Amino acid sequence: MRILVIGGGGREHAIVSALSRSAHKPELFCMPGNGGTAELAENVEIDIEDPATIVAWVEANPVDLVVVGPEVPLVVGLANLLAVIGVPCFGPKAAGAEIEGSKIFAKDLMERHGIPTAKAEAFDTKEDALAYLDAHGAPIVVKADGLAAGKGVTVAMDMEAAQNAVKSCFEGEFGEAGEVVVIEEYLEGSECSLLAFTDGVTVLPMLPAQDHKRAYDGDEGPNTGGMGVYTPVPAVDDATLAEMVSILERTVAGMASEGIDYRGVLYGGFILTANGPKVLEFNARFGDPETQVVLPLLKTDLVDVMFATAEKRLSEITLEWSDDAAVSVVLASGGYPGSYTKEIPIDGVAEAGEVPGVTVFHAGTMLKDGSLVTNGGRVLNVTAIAPTMAEARARAYEAVDTINFLGMEFRTDIGLKALQALGEV
Ligand code: AMP
Ligand code: GLY
């Protein structure tokens, strides 16, 4: 069995790692992969934003399944092209990926199917957007409509911040993604991601996880792709979880009723408001870094789950999970989410992996002349598993302390909210 995983982040290292534990012993390829996937899979140096090149590689190197990590290849129709050549794909076709690729599509879909979310309006001129801000006031949220790697969102607590965000979208800061701007009602509450495997009919939820989107401790600073994550999430009680699952089920059923055959992961980004969970965003893929804490706790064979998803027989699968807690801390390049330098030598990763329960998933790393160097904004995900949140957090930070590269930045408070909710700090 041969499986190709598309992507090269911490998420893809976690996916490759879970697939490598499978009883099917698949031969794994990762495109382009990173310094971590190189140990478990054969890395394939190909530009993954060009689906035709991926398909040409698959035709020359037949595989039984393609697993798509990031959103861009999905939004541009990689799954559609693979269907044409008869290769099963874990990840939706372009029509389904629109749920992530266009915030307006997602909002309209939610409205048609009664999914709770923030009220929002879209604007294609700066003047109209600024006039709407004047009418509604702050706090308010400004979003570039298209894909901006998690960085196109400004939560504006005052008018000046809101106006500046609108201006920078229309002045091209996010390229085409900012040609349409969505302005949204500000919602208050803790955030939680719930991902589910779905084949368009059956929806199997994973474990809720809490990401930390802001760059600095205490949820300060700019938005990032995600600086750390933990599971389980004490803020999610059974009733809340049931409502979140129901929202994912209704969303999948809604898409199915509109002719969208969605197969892959549906990622719900929720905010737990006083009026129940509401959807902040949907993604058409695994979360990064959520995957780094969720997949290590999956006891069911991921190869079986992924084939069943791609082949629309997910009703045959039951997911089993470990009861442990998991914490993952992102180590980022100095300057991220702004500009940063690459190819800085990294020390101590092997030592970190010797801390009990710790796995270091690589994100922006590569091997240069046989040594590990930085190659991106988010560099490593130090992930620890333990029977309790307190132990998982302690192990993760013990491992973080052994790693070093020039300019390394990380949050020191990942998992702290869980301990506070549990009354343990
Ligand atoms: P998004 O990429 O749409 O998930 O937004 C990124 C982050 O901005 C979210 O994780 C939230 O922290 C914040 N955010 C987005 N929309 C809202 C909203 N309507 N109210 C409050 N915070 C928001
Ligand atoms: N962790 C946020 C995301 O994957 O979009």
Side-chain angles (χ1 to χ4, degrees):
M1 180 187 290
R2 291 159 53 94
I3 300 179
L4 169 65
V5 176
I6 308 284
R11 165 182 55 208
E12 287 75 20
H13 190 191
I15 293 170
V16 164
S17 171
L19 291 172
S20 74
R21 294 198 305 269
S22 165
H24 299 280
K25 300 261 169 287
E27 189 180 348
L28 297 171
F29 300 86
C30 195
M31 186 184 282
N34 59 36
T37 62
E39 290 173 17
L40 301 167
E42 187 180 315
N43 284 350
V44 182
E45 265 311 321
I46 275 188
D47 174 10
I48 59 164
E49 303 207 348
D50 175 12
T53 316
I54 300 177
V55 170
W57 186 89
V58 170
E59 283 183 306
N61 302 273
V63 294
D64 301 288
L65 177 70
V66 176
V67 177
V68 186
E71 59 277 16
V72 172
L74 295 169
V75 171
V76 299
L78 176 59
N80 304 62
L81 295 180
L82 290 169
V84 172
I85 60 167
V87 176
C89 179
F90 182 92
K93 292 182 183 162
E98 273 288 276
I99 200 164
E100 171 165 8
S102 165
K103 291 189 190 291
I104 294 170
F105 172 86
K107 281 286 177 194
D108 289 346
L109 182 86
M110 286 190 265
E111 191 172 326
R112 287 196 293 278
H113 299 285
I115 306 295
T117 186
K119 284 191 220 59
E121 265 189 67
F123 299 93
D124 56 12
T125 72
K126 184 164 81 179
E127 292 65 32
D128 289 349
L130 291 174
Y132 183 87
L133 288 182
D134 280 337
H136 286 79
I140 198 157
V141 181
V142 178
K143 303 185 175 189
D145 177 54
L147 294 174
K151 294 162 212 155
V153 175
T154 302
V155 179
M157 299 313 286
D158 56 54
M159 279 298 271
E160 195 188 341
Q163 287 160 345
N164 287 339
V166 163
K167 285 176 197 154
S168 58
C169 281
F170 285 110
E171 278 155 19
E173 183 173 344
F174 304 107
E176 272 179 37
E179 285 173 6
V180 174
V181 168
V182 175
I183 303 184
E184 223 176 73
E185 169 196 10
Y186 171 76
L187 296 176
E188 205 159 351
S190 34
E191 285 179 54
C192 181
S193 310
L194 182 67
L195 287 63
F197 294 103
T198 179
D199 61 1
V201 180
T202 302
V203 176
L204 298 181
M206 300 184 221
L207 301 172
Q210 187 167 64
D211 188 10
H212 297 66
K213 295 241 166 118
R214 300 297 196 98
Y216 314 132
D217 281 5
D219 296 328
E220 301 284 343
N223 265 315
T224 69
M227 292 300 290
V229 59
Y230 65 82
T231 183
V233 185
V236 177
D237 58 23
D238 289 348
T240 306
L241 181 60
E243 176 58 13
M244 290 159 71
V245 172
S246 162
I247 286 172
L248 295 180
E249 288 170 346
R250 279 145 51 202
T251 304
V252 170
M255 284 193 284
S257 75
E258 298 183 13
I260 296 175
D261 181 10
Y262 192 104
R263 305 184 198 187
V265 171
L266 180 64
Y267 165 135
F270 292 91
I271 191 152
L272 311 178
T273 74
N275 300 319
K278 296 195 180 187
V279 174
L280 280 182
E281 61 165 352
F282 284 116
N283 293 321
R285 48 163 178 88
F286 280 107
D288 189 341
E290 286 88 337
T291 308
Q292 290 87 308
V293 291
V294 169
L295 286 187
L297 299 178
L298 178 64
K299 292 199 212 162
T300 315
D301 194 313
L302 184 61
V303 169
D304 292 333
V305 180
M306 287 186 155
F307 271 100
T309 302
E311 293 170 350
K312 221 174 176 67
R313 9 174 221 90
L314 198 55
S315 61
E316 295 170 13
I317 300 283
T318 309
L319 299 181
E320 278 188 72
W321 300 97
S322 158
D323 292 330
D324 285 343
V327 171
S328 185
V329 180
V330 172
L331 306 184
S333 294
Y336 176 78
S339 62
Y340 49 82
T341 311
K342 291 188 185 180
E343 302 200 7
I344 297 176
I346 306 171
D347 291 322
V349 173
E351 292 79 353
E354 283 164 18
V355 176
V358 169
T359 308
V360 181
F361 293 118
H362 293 228
T365 74
M366 65 172 188
L367 292 170
K368 194 185 178 202
D369 305 325
S371 307
L372 196 65
V373 298
T374 63
N375 188 37
R378 293 187 292 175
V379 177
L380 294 166
N381 308 139
V382 181
T383 306
I385 293 175
T388 67
M389 184 63 68
E391 275 173 273
R393 186 173 134 78
R395 287 175 175 186
Y397 281 104
E398 183 187 338
V400 166
D401 278 344
T402 73
I403 299 178
N404 190 39
F405 56 87
L406 195 69
M408 177 170 113
E409 286 179 1
F410 60 92
R411 282 183 59 159
T412 67
D413 62 351
I414 308 301
L416 199 58
K417 277 191 218 128
L419 294 184
Q420 285 160 349
L422 295 166
E424 292 183 14
V425 282

